[in-house]
Amino acid sequence: MAKNKGKTKTISKGKAEKRVFHNNDECPVRNVVAQIGDKWSVLILFALVEGPDRFNSIKSRVVGISQRMLTQTLRDLEREGYVNRTVYPEVPVKVEYELTVMGRGLVKPLYQLVSWAEIHHDEIKRSRQAYDERG
């Protein structure tokens, strides 16, 4: 049975219906979640929770990110509508990044994921180690 023409669908297989995740722009899981599910986006979003910040400050707080990757990820987050970039006409030029209303809305459910990760981090590390030792 198809739902949401062109978007995520469900397929009847016996009694249970299973979701199908299409590889196109109409699938919200692939189209939206993939962007925020990368290695750096969530960390950058959380770096901006406390308010506007400058590039080098964000870079110093997101340890390990390269200048190039921070630039690209900020551009992607701006394109998606989660981050605003403001350029102030000063000498030297001042640029600040801040969460948009949509970005602040996104951070709320992501906070639950981050909290869950903090609670289960030790358990996950033990599970990984046990798996690797079986390998």
Side-chain angles (χ1 to χ4, degrees):
M1 157 162 106
K3 293 182 181 178
N4 299 331
K5 183 179 176 183
K7 298 183 182 180
T8 304
K9 294 198 275 185
T10 57
I11 295 177
S12 294
K13 287 223 175 189
K15 295 179 184 176
E17 291 188 358
K18 303 212 178 205
R19 293 175 71 149
V20 176
F21 304 97
H22 293 279
N23 189 16
N24 62 40
D25 287 345
E26 298 301 317
C27 179
V29 175
R30 285 182 183 249
N31 189 278
V32 176
V33 177
Q35 172 59 47
I36 59 167
D38 70 14
K39 184 175 181 178
W40 300 109
S41 291
V42 171
L43 299 173
I44 293 168
L45 291 169
F46 273 91
L48 293 171
V49 164
E50 294 147 6
D53 209 351
R54 297 183 69 181
F55 184 91
N56 285 330
S57 177
I58 297 168
K59 187 175 183 311
S60 70
R61 294 187 307 127
V62 180
V63 177
I65 193 167
S66 68
Q67 182 168 333
R68 179 176 172 267
M69 184 54 63
L70 179 56
T71 298
Q72 185 59 55
T73 306
L74 283 166
R75 284 180 184 159
D76 292 343
L77 292 171
E78 183 181 9
R79 180 177 182 261
E80 298 291 318
Y82 307 130
V83 170
N84 274 335
R85 178 179 184 265
T86 304
V87 179
Y88 297 94
E90 300 175 2
V91 177
V93 173
K94 177 181 172 184
V95 178
E96 283 188 335
Y97 298 88
E98 66 181 318
L99 295 176
T100 62
V101 170
M102 188 166 57
R104 287 191 299 276
L106 173 62
V107 168
K108 289 176 184 176
L110 288 178
Y111 181 76
Q112 292 178 323
L113 174 62
V114 170
S115 295
W116 181 90
E118 288 175 343
I119 290 167
H120 295 283
H121 187 235
D122 289 338
E123 181 181 352
I124 293 167
K125 287 186 344 186
R126 285 191 301 274
S127 179
R128 288 174 181 164
Q129 182 178 359
Y131 179 89
D132 291 346
E133 288 171 359
R134 287 193 316 253

